[in-house]
């Protein structure tokens, strides 16, 4: 029941970002994007639908134009670090399918929240994740 309550108002889409951004490019829409990893970070084919470097570049160009919050996760690559240089960047440890440690990167076009949000933050109160400045972290 708690999970259903947390997901109220959430819409999950599985379609090309070009379609999503043209339909949902509003300040109050948060996009979490977990694209296929760049081929340069993997060995062999990993996904049913892979993306080449050009497709990743096009995706990032679209997401950079989004009016709301964007959060992207992936492995460290020069393309992402270059195109998202002005975004906040956080490193975390993730584990691959074969349990090997990997450095996962989270890029955000906003400042991170200063506290864990709860339901109380939404009941009659406006809670904004938008911060004044963007700094690389």
């Amino acid at each position: 029941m708690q999970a259903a309550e947390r997901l109220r108002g959430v819409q999950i889409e599985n379609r090309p970002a070009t379609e999503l951004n043209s339909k949902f490019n509003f300040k109050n829409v948060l996009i979490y994007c977990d694209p296929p990893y760049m081929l340069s970070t993997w060995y062999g084919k990993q996904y049913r639908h892979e993306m080449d470097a050009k497709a990743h570049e096009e995706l990032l160009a679209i997401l950079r134009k989004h009016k709301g919050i964007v959060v992207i996760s992936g492995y460290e690559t020069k393309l992402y670090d270059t195109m998202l240089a002005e975004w906040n960047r956080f490193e975390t440890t993730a584990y691959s399918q074969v349990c090997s440690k990997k450095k996962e990167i989270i890029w955000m076009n906003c400042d991170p929240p200063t506290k864990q949000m709860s339901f109380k933050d939404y009941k009659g109160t406006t809670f904004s994740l938008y911060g004044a400045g963007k700094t690389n972290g």
Side-chain angles (χ1 to χ4, degrees):
M1 193 65 145
Q2 216 175 14
E5 181 66 25
R6 286 192 74 151
L7 291 174
R8 185 186 306 194
V10 172
Q11 186 166 332
I12 298 172
E13 300 279 344
N14 183 14
R15 60 171 102 172
T18 51
E19 294 176 23
L20 287 175
N21 205 44
S22 63
K23 186 176 178 183
F24 298 107
N25 192 11
F26 301 103
K27 190 173 182 177
N28 66 338
V29 173
L30 180 146
I31 293 177
Y32 169 68
C33 184
D34 185 22
Y37 295 117
M38 291 192 69
L39 297 173
S40 62
T41 66
W42 284 90
Y43 299 103
K45 187 173 174 67
Q46 300 293 327
Y47 298 99
R48 184 178 304 155
H49 302 287
E50 298 280 3
M51 291 173 59
D52 62 15
K54 184 176 178 3
H56 279 277
E57 189 172 345
E58 291 169 358
L59 171 67
L60 294 176
I62 290 165
L63 293 174
R64 286 174 44 177
K65 294 177 185 176
H66 183 64
K67 295 174 184 173
I69 295 173
V70 178
V71 180
I72 304 171
S73 60
Y75 291 153
E76 184 173 39
T77 66
K78 187 174 183 177
L79 175 65
Y80 277 65
D81 282 340
T82 300
M83 289 190 71
L84 304 176
E86 295 183 16
W87 288 27
N88 284 301
R89 181 183 185 279
F90 304 92
E91 296 180 6
T92 186
T93 301
Y95 293 89
S96 73
Q97 293 173 342
V98 294
C99 296
S100 64
K101 279 187 177 184
K102 297 279 192 177
K103 180 168 55 170
E104 182 95 13
I105 309 296
I106 306 294
W107 293 270
M108 297 172 61
N109 68 344
C110 64
D111 291 328
T114 57
K115 68 173 188 164
Q116 175 69 40
M117 294 185 292
S118 71
F119 294 122
K120 292 177 186 175
D121 295 316
Y122 294 104
K123 294 187 184 213
T125 306
T126 301
F127 188 140
S128 176
L129 291 176
Y130 292 94
K134 308 284 183 285
T135 59
N136 288 335

